[in-house]
Amino acid sequence: MAPKSSIDRLAPEIKAYIQAQLSMGSLTLDKLIAELQERFPLAAKAGELPSRSAVGRYGQKLERRLAAVRASTEAAKLIKEHAGDDQDARSEALTAMLQSEMFDAIVELQEASDETVDPGDRLAMLSKAAKNIATLTRSSVHLKQFQVKIEAEARARALEAAAATAETTAKAQGLSDAGVEKLREAIMGSMK
């Protein structure tokens, strides 16, 4: 597996400070490096602070993660606003996002050079991913079954309401009881 980045090896308070500053985006890299040296002089003196390029790479990685979180949050908000969630659309969106992330991770693992990932580690990661994919797939199947059930129930309620309205209207228009029953059967029969 690839070694940890120099940022990941930092003291927690330094790493947290870098993350906070990068997520706010108010400082240039040069200003951030200067602030790190002022704020953490002992680490600077010991040569423990990361280089400008390491902070830049870490910032890009952090920005991708933050963008993904923002996109997921926005998607959940949109789903909540525009979809009554009786069909559990948020879970469906979440499952789709997880499937996409797992696919990307597996592709990255497959593309990793042989020097960066030990074959045993690669096998362990793929095994773990396969187990998680199976769980995710089961979840997806159960969600689809739930959605089909909810759709069928909603369709049945709508047909029942349509049959009741048709029955009332037909009786008011003088249709015989046998005619009303045939009309009801015709409407409800379309449910099958």
Side-chain angles (χ1 to χ4, degrees):
M1 185 166 300
K4 281 185 170 183
S5 74
S6 59
I7 306 283
D8 289 329
R9 292 190 304 258
L10 289 172
E13 63 274 5
I14 299 173
K15 182 179 177 182
Y17 183 77
I18 291 171
Q19 288 174 334
Q21 294 304 315
L22 289 172
S23 64
M24 287 190 296
S26 58
L27 299 176
T28 65
L29 284 176
D30 292 328
K31 285 182 183 176
L32 177 55
I33 295 296
E35 275 199 24
L36 284 171
Q37 291 171 347
E38 282 178 35
R39 190 176 270 273
F40 304 100
L42 295 176
K45 203 176 272 188
E48 295 172 356
L49 292 180
S51 67
R52 183 181 187 283
S53 60
V55 173
R57 283 190 305 273
Y58 188 78
Q60 290 174 343
K61 187 171 135 182
L62 183 62
E63 180 53 37
R64 282 192 302 272
R65 286 182 182 159
L66 291 173
V69 169
R70 284 191 293 269
S72 299
T73 303
E74 188 60 31
K77 284 180 187 175
L78 287 172
I79 290 167
K80 184 177 181 182
E81 287 174 17
H82 299 292
D85 208 21
D86 7 339
Q87 290 193 351
D88 205 10
R90 284 185 293 262
S91 292
E92 184 174 22
L94 180 61
T95 300
M97 286 187 277
L98 286 171
Q99 287 171 330
S100 177
E101 284 293 317
M102 289 187 78
F103 179 80
D104 291 344
I106 288 173
V107 168
E108 282 184 30
L109 181 61
Q110 288 176 334
E111 291 175 353
S113 68
D114 291 336
E115 301 96 41
T116 61
V117 180
D118 175 65
D121 289 343
R122 182 188 301 256
L123 183 60
M125 286 186 273
L126 287 172
S127 176
K128 192 172 188 178
K131 181 180 176 186
N132 290 329
I133 289 168
T135 301
L136 191 58
T137 302
R138 267 192 311 280
S139 170
S140 181
V141 167
H142 289 299
L143 178 61
K144 299 288 184 219
Q145 290 170 342
F146 172 74
Q147 289 172 328
V148 167
K149 177 184 171 194
I150 294 297
E151 278 181 30
E153 289 172 357
R155 214 172 20 257
R157 284 192 301 274
L159 284 173
E160 184 58 45
T165 301
E167 185 176 334
T168 303
T169 304
K171 283 183 181 178
Q173 295 296 317
L175 191 62
S176 69
D177 288 344
V180 169
E181 187 57 36
K182 291 266 188 209
L183 180 60
R184 177 175 258 296
E185 287 174 10
I187 292 171
M188 296 307 288
S190 67
M191 189 171 88
K192 297 175 183 174

